Amino acid sequence: MQLDDLYRRVIMDHYKNPRNRGKFDDDSLTVDLNNPTCGDRISLQLKLEDGVVKDARFNGEGCSISMSSASMMTEAVKGRTYAEAMDLASRFSSLMQGEAVDFDEYEELEALSGVNKFPARIKCATLAWNALKKGIHEEE
Amino acid sequence: MNAELIREQFPILHQEINGHPLVYLDSAATSQKPRAVLDALKHYYEWENSNVHRGVHTLGSRATDAYEGAREKVARFISAARTQEIIFTRGTTTSLNMVASAYGPAVLQEGDEIVITPMEHHSNLIPWQQLAIRTGATLKYIPLQPDGNIALEDAEKTITDRTKIVSIAHVSNVLGVVNPVKELAEIAHRHGAIMVIDGAQSTPHMKVNVQELDCDFYAFSGHKMCAPTGIGVLYGKKHLLESMEPIEFGGEMIDDVGLYESTWKELPWKFEGGTPIIAGAIGLGAAIDFLQEIGMDAIHQHETKLAKYATARLSEIEGLTLYGPREREVGLLTFNLQDIHPHDVATVLDASGVAIRAGHHCCQPLMRWLEASATARASLYLYNTEQDIDRLAEALVQTKEYFG
């Protein structure tokens, strides 16, 4: 087992310098999710307009994998239509299943590919994405 | 007690994990099983497997003797006055739920009180929370001292004449504190309340005498004390168990069935509906034999010594926060390492073959009290050695360097 498969530089960078961390000062759609097995929590805020994810921010507490995944996800979905964002989420699930996936539009996500070798940690990586899917479903 | 020799009897401990010899430090979640228990299970299925209390054939008698023999072993193990007071259940959670469902609603009225503490495992919290919601009773908490201990003065203030049930962990699965359950039982009884003890983390590690503690119910699990999963015990005082109605109907608990009314078997079978966990009970009996051969006092001494060593080793690590009291007699060490999330700590430790627990340990209110969203926990048992602690400490230092 190679730890560096899991903790790549990109992941550590997003963990230590999370992008889009915080809260909008308005009543944007908010999705709160937690992972009851470990206590990780995320509060995701989405600005959804005209079928497009205009902006996203998150707050939460959790391990390096869950928080870096949330940071990357918010970067990756900004400016995408609901359909594109959902497609990204489903490709991310495939990545977690160990499939080879291209993320041309946001290559940093590929850094999380090592998580599939650590089955206990897949739930950490997918928490933010589940919040995204829930948010878009609610809006639609 | 020689832990090295004891280790030899646990086949699972002799393997490599990620290229390193396994160091198993998650026994509070579930213990490993010695060969004697594995052999007892195999012997049962190869030579005795049959349903109990039904068959008039030879296998039926062998299975019944083995199952009821295990009950006698449990009764002696916790010094119960009578074998009838030993109910086999699925585990601590089922046992505590059984008390809450079968005893609670019959005695509680609106305004009555149930007293617990903020350190309870969810299994000894939610059943009471639910019971309070259903009956209109009030759930009250004895506050914790800054180091996690319970002060008897606080218990005296919290338990009143309106209190009907006091239910407290003998040993906390996070803080490692041993609670003064005997004194708490005395306070409860003085107010006419019953005392329930969650013994999940005590029974495997120390001598328990339910008569000396004078508790009314005592719940524990087999799998944390070298037995298989799926078997547990509810001890209850005879007059209380007799006053309670069963909560599961059918199969083994039946005496006589009419079209519109039926009667139940006597204790303890009244509470064991369906085909019981026969192999599990036999495995528990074998585990008790195994533990008693070593001696519960010897096990406790070994763990106390190891806990002291571990406390000292972990305290040397800069940036490590150890929760709970400094002096601990049980091998439960809950901590956080700098600002590294415990899941990351557990994953890095696993890469060097060291298995610990990370998360909230089914104690969310306690995590809030500790102001931690999650913690890491190393828990020891009779097969652990100082060398295991050294490996843990080394791996923690490496984790710090890795996350630098």
Side-chain angles (χ1 to χ4, degrees):
Chain A
M1 178 156 79
Q2 282 298 314
L3 277 178
D4 294 334
D5 285 349
L6 184 62
Y7 297 111
R8 293 194 184 173
R9 189 188 47 76
V10 173
I11 296 176
M12 294 310 286
D13 178 46
H14 274 271
Y15 180 48
K16 289 186 172 158
N17 312 293
R19 329 291 199 257
N20 307 308
R21 192 164 176 121
K23 197 172 183 292
F24 297 118
D25 291 326
D26 57 26
D27 53 355
S28 297
L29 176 70
T30 306
V31 183
D32 294 316
L33 269 195
N34 65 349
N35 183 348
T37 56
C38 61
D40 284 2
R41 284 167 198 281
I42 187 168
S43 178
L44 176 70
Q45 278 200 314
L46 297 167
K47 275 196 193 299
L48 302 173
E49 283 167 39
D50 311 323
V52 173
V53 184
K54 295 270 194 217
D55 209 349
R57 282 191 192 170
F58 79 101
N59 266 321
E61 44 191 335
C63 63
S64 58
I65 303 299
S66 67
M67 293 297 110
S68 62
S69 182
S71 167
M72 287 186 220
M73 182 278 287
T74 53
E75 285 284 272
V77 297
K78 264 195 258 184
R80 301 195 188 282
T81 64
Y82 298 171
E84 285 168 346
M86 292 302 262
D87 174 57
L88 205 53
S90 98
R91 275 186 289 149
F92 188 79
S93 298
S94 304
L95 186 76
M96 292 298 108
Q97 306 303 314
E99 292 169 34
V101 181
D102 265 337
F103 291 105
D104 293 336
E105 61 274 61
Y106 194 77
E107 284 180 358
E108 294 197 353
L109 285 172
E110 287 164 32
L112 287 163
S113 64
V115 176
N116 80 73
K117 291 187 201 139
F118 295 79
R121 306 299 296 278
I122 292 175
K123 274 189 186 164
C124 311
T126 49
L127 184 64
W129 292 88
N130 290 339
L132 172 75
K133 286 193 269 187
K134 195 171 172 220
I136 294 178
H137 274 308
E138 270 175 31
E139 185 66 16
E140 277 178 341
Chain B
M1 195 197 109
N2 185 335
E4 287 298 339
L5 284 179
I6 286 168
R7 282 181 79 80
E8 290 304 313
Q9 302 179 54
F10 288 80
I12 202 170
L13 297 177
H14 304 279
Q15 62 176 309
E16 291 203 340
I17 299 290
N18 300 313
H20 303 272
L22 167 66
V23 173
Y24 186 76
L25 296 173
D26 196 17
S27 297
T30 197
S31 71
Q32 298 302 349
K33 321 303 174 200
R35 205 178 298 280
V37 170
L38 303 175
D39 288 349
L41 293 172
K42 187 160 178 277
H43 180 82
Y44 165 71
Y45 279 120
E46 281 185 354
W47 297 98
E48 296 166 344
N49 179 46
S50 191
N51 213 325
V52 292
H53 299 300
R54 279 170 238 214
V56 289
H57 50 71
T58 305
L59 290 190
S61 309
R62 283 185 194 164
T64 306
D65 288 351
Y67 179 71
E68 292 304 329
R71 197 190 309 274
E72 284 166 22
K73 286 177 189 179
V74 172
R76 281 197 299 272
F77 184 64
I78 59 169
S79 300
R82 303 165 190 86
T83 310
Q84 297 154 284
E85 295 176 323
I86 305 300
I87 317 284
F88 281 129
T89 68
R90 278 185 53 217
T92 309
T93 306
T94 315
S95 298
L96 292 168
N97 272 283
M98 206 184 247
V99 180
S101 309
Y103 180 81
V107 297
L108 282 179
Q109 289 180 342
E110 208 174 317
D112 285 343
E113 298 163 353
I114 306 165
V115 171
I116 62 172
T117 79
M119 76 170 86
E120 303 309 322
H121 187 278
H122 295 166
S123 306
N124 193 31
L125 191 165
I126 322 283
W128 307 119
Q129 216 175 55
Q130 288 297 315
L131 180 62
I133 292 168
R134 274 207 309 273
T135 57
T138 309
L139 187 59
K140 286 170 80 180
Y141 288 84
I142 302 172
L144 303 184
Q145 296 294 302
D147 67 356
N149 275 304
I150 296 174
L152 289 174
E153 307 88 85
D154 289 333
E156 293 275 11
K157 279 182 219 149
T158 316
I159 300 167
T160 73
D161 286 345
R162 302 228 63 172
T163 307
K164 294 285 186 291
I165 298 170
V166 178
S167 188
I168 288 172
H170 197 166
V171 172
S172 154
N173 70 317
V174 171
L175 300 169
V177 300
V178 181
N179 287 319
V181 283
K182 189 178 172 181
E183 290 77 5
L184 290 166
E186 194 273 314
I187 299 171
H189 290 151
R190 213 188 316 128
H191 291 280
I194 61 149
M195 179 74 193
V196 185
I197 301 177
D198 168 0
Q201 299 295 345
S202 47
T203 323
H205 307 283
M206 58 185 67
K207 198 173 263 174
V208 168
N209 182 327
V210 289
Q211 292 190 78
E212 205 177 282
L213 296 175
D214 195 24
C215 56
D216 299 282
F217 293 100
Y218 197 95
F220 61 98
S221 299
H223 73 98
K224 293 187 202 290
M225 50 182 284
C226 297
T229 53
I231 183 75
V233 171
L234 173 64
Y235 157 83
K237 282 183 183 164
K238 184 167 170 257
H239 72 278
L240 290 172
L241 290 172
E242 275 174 343
S243 73
M244 286 153 56
E245 275 298 296
I247 47 172
E248 282 190 338
F249 303 91
E252 215 51 72
M253 53 79 65
I254 295 298
D255 174 35
D256 186 66
V257 172
L259 280 179
Y260 300 101
E261 273 187 47
S262 302
T263 56
W264 327 129
K265 268 193 193 149
E266 59 197 38
L267 286 176
W269 304 291
K270 173 169 102 168
F271 293 102
E272 293 178 6
T275 293
I277 308 146
I278 307 167
I282 292 168
L284 177 57
I288 287 173
D289 288 342
F290 171 81
L291 293 172
Q292 283 190 321
E293 203 167 301
I294 300 161
M296 292 312 292
D297 287 336
I299 293 169
H300 188 53
Q301 274 171 23
H302 169 73
E303 287 181 32
T304 303
K305 202 168 142 239
L306 216 52
K308 277 201 169 50
Y309 182 72
T311 306
R313 283 302 312 259
L314 294 190
S315 304
E316 286 165 14
I317 300 172
E318 215 178 304
L320 187 141
T321 310
L322 191 59
Y323 300 103
R326 286 288 108 176
E327 295 288 318
R328 62 190 78 220
E329 53 178 290
V330 295
L332 275 155
L333 297 118
T334 295
F335 58 91
N336 265 316
L337 186 59
Q338 291 174 339
D339 54 353
I340 311 169
H341 193 278
H343 281 169
D344 293 318
V345 174
T347 297
V348 180
L349 260 53
D350 186 47
S352 14
V354 180
I356 62 153
R357 184 60 161 265
H360 54 56
H361 317 291
C362 300
C363 285
Q364 290 183 8
L366 183 61
M367 291 296 116
R368 281 191 277 275
W369 184 81
L370 292 172
E371 293 176 352
S373 65
T375 56
R377 178 186 73 187
S379 54
L380 314 172
Y381 206 15
L382 72 168
Y383 36 67
N384 289 119
T385 61
E386 288 191 357
Q387 202 190 345
D388 291 343
I389 309 297
D390 293 338
R391 288 269 311 277
L392 167 71
E394 284 157 25
L396 285 170
V397 171
Q398 282 163 12
T399 309
K400 251 175 58 172
E401 284 163 10
Y402 190 85
F403 274 84

